[in-house]
Amino acid sequence: MSDTPPERPASDVWPNHAKAWHEWRAALAGQRMHHGWIVAGKSGLGKRDFASAAARELVDGGTEGAGMAEHPDIIVLTYGPKDKKAEKAAADGKPFERARSIRVDQVRAMQRRLTTRPTLGDRRVVIVDPADDMETSASNALLKSLEEPPAGTYFILVAHRPARLLPTIRSRCRMLRIPILTDRQIDAMLASADATASDEAREAAVRAAEGSFGAARRFLEQDLAPVSGLVRNLVARGDRDLKLRGEFARLVGPRADRNRVTAVIELAQGIVAQSARHAADNAQRARLADVHADLVALARDMPTYNFDTGLLVLEIGTLLTRAAPASEPAHV
């Protein structure tokens, strides 16, 4: 999943980055800058923007208006082309389908670049985004560079779920945690980013976002307010006759693309988490916690499997019914 939504704000307007910037700049001003960093936090908190701006500060003091991929001494590893056909489309400047993980050949290509000196100065930065979506072989290859980094080379790993990184990678990096945003901050950022959204739509997006500006933006872009109401009903009431799940599948859409399904799973996770915080008893809280864990696992596994959209949406709906006080076993 992408960390930052379209039309994302500039790195200097993320109000949740202040502490991370303080830690980063204190280290930068110190005698010895650590060579490995993990920028961690849930999706939609601007981690990619932070990594980009931090890399610019490290290599040349920062350059206004420049992106991650526009400096010769900033190497970015992210999802590459899916296959040979996608590689050809990318080479021709055409839209292409991306792979669902960061592959070992990308890491090895990066390592070959590290055998030369930086282009413009004496420092170079490698950004891996998202590092928790590396193949196991890619993680092991990266570990070798972290263990013996070339002089002047620094690594910034963007991670939505840092626990998925190898323990040996985590142990060689300093952690910068990006906190969630307040509802007021998200509302102000939405108002600035999308003046056409109504107050009601923004309020619903903020309520569903669980501290993530990216989730709030996706809520508005995907028009998830009707879906949100159904999710809350499935969690609260269950669905013994399958009517709510049928309506849920209709609203999500039988041919929903991966971005829409991802946004729906994200929404479902947020609503289940909210419900758990307000649960009336321990049994209900435990039930909601189990459903939330299953939704997280589904979101994690979705990029690696070719799901039938209709079945996947039905599975989401069925998981949600398990959270209801009188829930039935989940069978799809």
Side-chain angles (χ1 to χ4, degrees):
M1 293 184 232
S2 176
D3 176 44
T4 355
E7 301 297 326
R8 62 185 185 266
S11 61
D12 59 350
V13 302
W14 287 94
N16 55 330
H17 288 186
K19 186 174 184 293
W21 276 123
H22 176 77
E23 292 182 36
W24 174 263
R25 287 168 177 157
L28 194 56
Q31 295 272 332
R32 188 175 179 182
M33 181 72 170
H34 198 74
H35 71 277
W37 296 78
I38 296 171
V39 181
K42 70 187 296 185
S43 175
L45 299 179
K47 300 188 300 298
R48 179 187 299 176
D49 287 340
F50 180 90
S52 172
R56 297 299 302 218
E57 286 201 359
L58 189 56
V59 296
D60 65 5
T63 301
E64 290 296 323
M68 278 196 302
E70 297 174 355
H71 193 290
D73 294 324
I74 298 176
I75 302 170
V76 182
L77 299 187
T78 189
Y79 303 115
K82 177 183 177 181
D83 49 28
K84 296 293 184 183
K85 180 180 177 181
E87 286 178 7
K88 184 177 186 307
D92 294 339
K94 298 177 181 177
F96 62 93
E97 187 175 357
R98 292 187 178 273
R100 297 167 186 172
S101 61
I102 296 173
R103 296 170 172 170
V104 66
D105 59 331
Q106 295 174 264
V107 176
R108 289 173 177 159
M110 173 271 292
Q111 289 169 328
R112 289 192 290 272
R113 289 183 63 180
L114 298 187
T115 61
T116 63
R117 292 178 56 82
T119 303
L120 300 181
D122 57 1
R123 289 175 171 176
R124 174 163 40 203
V125 178
V126 177
I127 297 173
V128 186
D129 175 31
D132 43 328
D133 271 355
M134 283 189 291
E135 295 176 338
T136 301
S137 54
S139 295
N140 288 325
L142 180 67
L143 178 60
K144 295 179 181 178
S145 293
L146 286 168
E147 289 173 336
E148 298 180 7
T153 298
Y154 301 85
F155 296 86
I156 302 177
L157 313 184
V158 175
H160 309 314
R161 299 169 298 276
R164 292 185 63 192
L165 295 171
L166 292 176
T168 42
I169 286 181
R170 295 200 305 270
S171 70
R172 284 165 174 77
C173 296
R174 281 190 59 177
M175 186 84 70
L176 288 175
R177 293 197 177 274
I178 305 296
I180 63 172
L181 293 144
T182 67
D183 288 355
R184 181 175 295 182
Q185 288 169 337
I186 294 175
D187 187 59
M189 293 172 76
L190 287 176
S192 175
D194 187 358
T196 64
S198 68
D199 290 344
E200 287 114 353
R202 282 209 321 273
E203 182 180 350
V206 169
R207 185 184 177 200
E210 285 286 282
S212 165
F213 174 69
R217 283 300 306 271
R218 289 186 282 274
F219 184 97
L220 292 178
E221 290 162 0
Q222 296 289 344
D223 189 23
L224 293 182
V227 177
S228 176
L230 267 177
V231 169
R232 293 183 189 280
N233 275 334
L234 285 165
V235 169
R237 294 164 41 193
D239 184 33
R240 289 194 172 277
D241 59 7
L242 288 172
K243 287 183 180 178
L244 287 178
R245 272 170 282 185
E247 180 65 8
F248 176 68
R250 186 190 69 78
L251 283 175
V252 175
R255 294 184 177 86
D257 62 18
R258 189 170 295 273
N259 289 337
R260 183 165 177 80
V261 175
T262 297
V264 169
I265 296 178
E266 186 176 55
L267 170 66
Q269 288 177 22
I271 289 174
V272 170
Q274 291 168 7
S275 300
R277 287 197 296 272
H278 298 96
D281 55 62
N282 289 336
Q284 185 182 6
R285 192 172 296 110
R287 196 164 50 243
L288 288 158
D290 287 344
V291 171
H292 188 272
D294 287 342
L295 288 168
V296 169
L298 188 62
R300 181 192 65 223
D301 294 340
M302 189 180 75
T304 64
Y305 296 98
N306 291 318
F307 283 109
D308 176 275
T309 300
L311 288 176
L312 177 57
V313 172
L314 182 58
E315 182 171 355
I316 297 167
T318 301
L319 283 175
L320 292 171
T321 65
R322 284 177 37 200
S327 59
E328 74 265 32
H331 296 294
V332 180

